[in-house]
């Protein structure tokens, strides 16, 4: 036993010495690289040296997060206080996918319920074309169409849970069931056609979900516009919240087009507020920062201006809980951080006229 313990002690000491030597060699290699880079910078033409330093600075900002510098460069401008919501208001929120409503309007939804305003959330799609979510749910790289339909059903349930946390009842939301990643193509290529758009995930040309506004509805732009128009006509909103027209996700910008066309056809003129989800380097840092304010990108400021709705600490916490219901989207760290980066002291909207 003593001999065994002695051998074990010798082995441990040898491993420590080997590790120490390896770390020393790695540090020496790193120091040598730094000296070489410094030497090259000293012996490089001035304009080349400036270019190298510039790209190194960009890399550092990208790797470590944009932080306050990025906020100043990319998200800076004047924002007005959001008008008070009253009991007379009729608010409708259009969400391209399940989770967009929680990201962009959780505070507004809570405030509407607190002020006893009438509110309705409309989901354009169930978010059923997210391959990474299908892989995460099934733990397999196989992507059969049935798995995408199951994903759409799961995400709808996640949306219902989120809205319940925000205070909504079952008669205060509608699922349309149109194809995820297909809203823009339905407008441009499959608007009024006998050959509807086929979902990339489910492979179907019609809505397969039994809990939607119109079951078995064919995937055409004309049908989607008709549904949006009918819902707005029946609801008669005083305020409409919809994804921003310059949002980089095709489904988001297309949702705005459906809503704006429906309002134009109906001759209705409610206040329309655009909320932004997908845009370059927005938010500047992709992590939970509940003490910070959210600002729009500088190049999106407009004559009509942006409005800030401030959330109470309780509303912030409730928003975080609502976002966290989207478990299929939170299986991937990067996406989870992105979702939570919208939990701020405020929500921002551009008044679009």
């Amino acid at each position: 036993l003593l001999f065994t313990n002695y051998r074990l002690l010798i082995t441990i000491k040898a491993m420590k010495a080997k590790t120490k030597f390896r770390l020393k060699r790695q540090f020496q290699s790193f120091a040598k690289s730094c000296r070489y880079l410094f030497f090259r910078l000293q012996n490089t033409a001035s304009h080349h040296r400036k270019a190298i330093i510039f790209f190194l600075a960009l890399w550092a900002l990208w790797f470590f997060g944009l932080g306050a510098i990025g906020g100043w460069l990319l998200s800076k401008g004047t924002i007005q206080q959001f008008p008070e919501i009253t009991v007379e208001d009729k608010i409708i929120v259009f969400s391209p996918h399940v989770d967009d409503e929680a990201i962009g309007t959780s505070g507004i939804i809570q405030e509407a319920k607190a002020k006893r305003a009438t509110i309705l959330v409309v989901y354009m799609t169930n978010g059923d074309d997210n391959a990474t979510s299908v892989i995460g749910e099934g733990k397999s790289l196989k992507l059969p169409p049935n798995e995408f339909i199951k994903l759409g059903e799961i995400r709808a349930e996640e949306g219902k849970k989120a809205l319940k946390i925000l205070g909504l009842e079952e008669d205060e939301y509608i699922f349309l069931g149109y194809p995820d990643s297909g809203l823009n193509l339905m407008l441009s290529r499959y608007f009024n056609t006998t050959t509807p758009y086929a979902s990339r995930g489910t492979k179907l040309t019609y809505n397969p979900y039994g809990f939607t506004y119109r079951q078995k509805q064919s995937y055409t732009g004309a049908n989607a516009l008709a549904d949006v128009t009918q819902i707005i006509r029946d609801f008669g909103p005083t305020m409409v919240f919809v994804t921003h027209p310059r949002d980089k996700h095709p489904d988001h910008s297309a949702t705005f087009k459906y809503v704006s066309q429906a309002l134009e056809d109906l001759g209705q003129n409610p206040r329309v507020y655009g909320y932004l989800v997908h845009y370059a380097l927005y938010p500047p840092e992709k992590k939970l920062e509940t003490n910070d304010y959210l600002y729009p990108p500088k190049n999106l400021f407009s004559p009509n201006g942006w409005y800030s709705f401030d959330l109470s600490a309780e509303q912030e916490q409730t928003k975080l809980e609502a976002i966290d219901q989207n478990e299929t989207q939170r299986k991937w760290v990067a996406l989870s951080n992105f979702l939570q980066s919208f939990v701020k002291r405020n929500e921002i909207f551009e008044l679009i006229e």
Side-chain angles (χ1 to χ4, degrees):
L1 181 60
L2 287 174
F3 179 72
T4 302
N5 289 340
Y6 175 75
R7 289 188 61 185
L8 180 61
L9 180 62
I10 294 298
T11 302
I12 292 173
K13 286 184 177 181
M15 290 175 64
K16 285 183 177 180
K18 187 176 181 180
T19 301
K20 184 177 180 180
F21 176 76
R22 186 169 61 249
L23 289 174
K24 183 178 179 180
R25 288 290 300 273
Q26 288 176 348
F27 177 78
Q28 289 173 342
S29 176
F30 174 74
K32 184 178 180 181
S33 299
C34 289
R35 287 195 299 270
Y36 175 75
L37 179 60
F38 182 70
F39 173 78
R40 290 300 300 271
L41 285 174
Q42 283 184 318
N43 292 275
T44 303
S46 176
H47 62 283
H48 289 160
R49 184 163 62 248
K50 289 179 180 178
I52 293 172
I53 293 173
F54 174 74
F55 284 111
L56 284 174
L58 280 182
W59 174 83
L61 283 174
W62 181 263
F63 186 80
F64 293 107
L66 295 172
I69 296 176
W72 185 84
L73 289 173
L74 304 171
S75 304
K76 188 169 182 283
T78 303
I79 306 180
Q80 304 177 59
Q81 185 176 8
F82 194 86
E84 184 179 356
I85 295 174
T86 69
V87 68
E88 287 81 18
D89 281 315
K90 301 185 71 176
I91 298 171
I92 188 167
V93 176
F94 284 92
S95 179
H97 313 102
V98 177
D99 72 11
D100 291 319
E101 82 298 339
I103 290 172
T105 64
S106 282
I108 291 293
I109 292 172
Q110 292 179 75
E111 188 70 8
K113 293 298 292 184
K115 295 296 179 65
R116 298 184 181 278
T118 307
I119 187 165
L120 179 68
V121 174
V122 180
Y123 293 106
M124 297 293 292
T125 80
N126 290 9
D128 54 9
D129 188 43
N130 192 325
T132 55
S133 295
V134 170
I135 294 170
E137 284 297 303
K139 309 298 182 184
S140 171
L141 294 178
K142 295 181 180 179
L143 303 175
N146 275 321
E147 294 302 315
F148 286 94
I149 296 175
K150 290 178 183 177
L151 175 65
E153 293 169 343
I154 292 171
R155 292 196 68 182
E157 290 302 315
E158 291 174 348
K160 293 175 184 179
K161 291 177 182 177
L163 293 182
K164 185 175 181 179
I165 287 173
L166 296 174
L168 268 60
E169 304 293 336
E170 290 186 4
D171 60 348
E172 293 179 310
Y173 54 80
I174 294 173
F175 291 89
L176 297 185
Y178 284 101
D180 182 9
S181 301
L183 296 181
N184 194 49
L185 284 172
M186 285 165 52
L187 271 175
S188 60
R189 294 172 54 187
Y190 299 91
F191 185 77
N192 196 1
T193 174
T194 56
T195 306
Y197 173 82
S199 167
R200 295 188 311 181
T202 69
K203 308 303 181 186
L204 297 175
T205 61
Y206 61 91
N207 163 24
Y209 305 105
F211 49 83
T212 50
Y213 185 64
R214 296 188 196 278
Q215 298 180 27
K216 308 295 184 182
Q217 182 76 301
S218 294
Y219 288 159
T220 67
N223 284 343
L225 178 60
D227 288 349
V228 170
T229 302
Q230 187 61 51
I231 290 169
I232 293 176
R233 179 188 291 113
D234 294 342
F235 190 76
T238 61
M239 280 193 277
V240 175
F241 292 85
V242 60
T243 38
H244 198 279
R246 292 178 66 181
D247 193 298
K248 295 302 182 181
H249 194 301
D251 281 347
H252 289 215
S253 55
T255 296
F256 176 83
K257 292 174 184 177
Y258 285 112
V259 172
S260 59
Q261 185 62 55
L263 290 171
E264 181 180 336
D265 293 345
L266 292 170
Q268 293 190 19
N269 192 32
R271 283 175 288 166
V272 178
Y273 293 99
Y275 63 93
L276 190 66
V277 178
H278 296 285
Y279 201 80
L281 301 175
Y282 176 83
E285 288 200 89
K286 308 300 188 289
K287 61 181 180 180
L288 181 63
E289 293 180 317
T290 58
N291 291 323
D292 287 0
Y293 276 89
L294 186 63
Y295 292 87
K298 287 178 68 174
N299 60 336
L300 289 190
F301 276 94
S302 66
N304 295 328
W306 286 73
Y307 290 81
S308 171
F309 175 79
D310 287 13
L311 281 70
S312 66
E314 182 180 353
Q315 287 174 332
E316 264 192 89
Q317 182 59 37
T318 302
K319 177 173 183 172
L320 178 59
E321 292 177 14
I323 287 176
D324 284 349
Q325 299 309 303
N326 296 282
E327 295 180 3
T328 55
Q329 308 307 291
R330 296 183 60 244
K331 293 182 181 296
W332 308 93
V333 175
L335 183 52
S336 179
N337 290 342
F338 173 72
L339 296 178
Q340 292 187 347
S341 68
F342 285 88
V343 182
K344 297 280 195 285
R345 295 174 64 180
N346 67 329
E347 292 172 345
I348 56 174
F349 310 94
E350 183 181 13
L351 179 61
I352 301 173
E353 297 179 342

